[in-house]
Structures are given as C-alpha cells and as structure tokens.
Amino acid sequence: MHMSKSIRLSEEAYDRLAAHKAEDETFSEVVLRLAGERSLLEIAGILSDEEADALRDAIDDRRERRANELEEVADRMRGA
C-alpha cells in the first residue's frame, strides 16, 4: 500500500507539470519520471562483488587518466 502526501504547487509549477503529463499518467508517475533518480536501495545488489570491483577500478583508472590529460593541457598552456 502506497502512502500519499499532499504538496502545494504554484499555478506556474502545476502548469509545467501538467504539460509533461501523458493522458494515462498520474501526477505521481510524472514526478517520478521527471525526477529520473532511483533510490540506492533499488539498485543495490545488481552487480556482483567482482563486477563492482572491476567497475570501481575502471572509474579510478579513468579519473587518473583524465587528471593526467588535464595536467598535460595545463603544462602546454603554461609554456604557450
């Protein structure tokens, strides 16, 4: 069972929200769609420990490469 909450919207906010609403959608569905964020609890466990470690390593590697690239650009700009 879903609990509901009441919120106040200005006319402008309501009109903007209504403009995004499909005929078969509830306002709650519009808000959830537009917010586009998922709870961390919803995505918890979708990766195995090995996959999570590999992803973390890939992110760390990319951050390091990007930092090096930015440092190279800064060095070239200093020398220009």
Side-chain angles (χ1 to χ4, degrees):
M1 177 181 191
H2 292 277
M3 304 244 337
S4 64
K5 300 278 184 179
S6 295
I7 60 170
R8 290 181 188 255
L9 298 174
S10 68
E11 277 295 317
E12 180 183 5
Y14 177 86
D15 290 342
R16 287 189 188 189
L17 189 60
H20 288 280
K21 185 180 173 298
E23 195 172 311
D24 62 341
E25 250 182 334
T26 66
F27 277 100
S28 290
E29 290 168 334
V30 176
V31 169
L32 291 171
R33 177 172 50 81
L34 293 176
E37 296 179 8
R38 298 179 100 183
S39 162
L40 289 178
L41 293 176
E42 289 182 75
I43 60 173
I46 63 171
L47 297 177
S48 68
D49 289 345
E50 294 80 17
E51 290 169 324
D53 289 342
L55 181 58
R56 190 176 299 109
D57 290 344
I59 291 169
D60 290 344
D61 288 346
R62 180 63 186 124
R63 284 182 179 153
E64 186 175 335
R65 284 195 319 271
R66 184 66 179 147
N68 290 338
E69 291 168 1
L70 290 173
E71 190 59 39
E72 288 174 12
V73 169
D75 289 343
R76 284 196 305 266
M77 291 177 76
R78 285 186 207 108

